[in-house]
Amino acid sequence: MVLTVLALGASACSTSPGSTPSATTASTGVSLSKDIQPILNANCVICHQGTAGPMGLNMQVGSAYKNLVNVKSAESPLMRVAPGTPDKSYIVNKLLGTQGQIDGSGAQMPYGAPPLSQSQIDLIRQWITQGAPNN
């Protein structure tokens, strides 16, 4: 019984800040709704919401996908998210603070807060590598 509760607890925390992907995520792929959107909600939506979000970028549930995937960045020649190519996705550069190296601008994201953990960035990269599915 205790093992079951511990297993459920670990699974439930698979998308919390600083956590690593769960075994389910590793075997079935990264999910926008279950893995990526919780990261956006916890770190990005505080600024990037509604029509007044910086660069017109709304990352709220129901808007994030259409505003990120295959949309040209307002600060760079890159797409915000280029499915299949995380290194050519502006969001990855903004999260790593390397946007200046690829002719981008602005500050590292999330602005005014600690950077995302490496495991969170890796999860976003994995989602993009998988083709950035709207799942």
Side-chain angles (χ1 to χ4, degrees), residues 104-127:
S105 62
Q108 181 176 5
M109 293 291 127
Y111 182 74
L116 296 186
S117 69
Q118 189 60 52
S119 63
Q120 290 171 311
I121 294 171
D122 289 345
L123 197 59
I124 292 168
R125 289 180 62 86
Q126 183 182 350
W127 173 69

Side-chain angles (χ1 to χ4, degrees), residues 93-110:
N93 288 277
K94 288 293 278 191
L95 295 173
L96 293 172
T98 58
Q99 67 277 5
Q101 298 171 17
I102 49 94
D103 294 326
S105 62
Q108 181 176 5
M109 293 291 127

Side-chain angles (χ1 to χ4, degrees), residues 34-88:
K34 294 178 184 172
D35 301 306
I36 303 305
Q37 191 65 53
I39 295 171
L40 300 178
N41 291 346
N43 298 283
C44 309
V45 169
I46 190 164
C47 295
H48 291 280
Q49 58 181 296
T51 58
M55 300 298 153
L57 179 53
N58 180 347
M59 292 190 182
Q60 291 175 290
V61 173
S63 296
Y65 186 84
K66 69 180 178 188
N67 289 316
L68 287 171
V69 179
N70 288 316
V71 175
K72 187 176 177 321
S73 166
E75 296 181 333
S76 151
L78 301 179
M79 294 292 181
R80 289 175 172 165
V81 170
T85 55
D87 293 330
K88 293 185 179 183

Side-chain angles (χ1 to χ4, degrees), residues 10-20 25 34-36 38-39 120 123:
S11 175
C13 296
S14 66
T15 59
S16 62
S19 69
T20 56
T25 299
K34 294 178 184 172
D35 301 306
I36 303 305
I39 295 171
Q120 290 171 311
L123 197 59

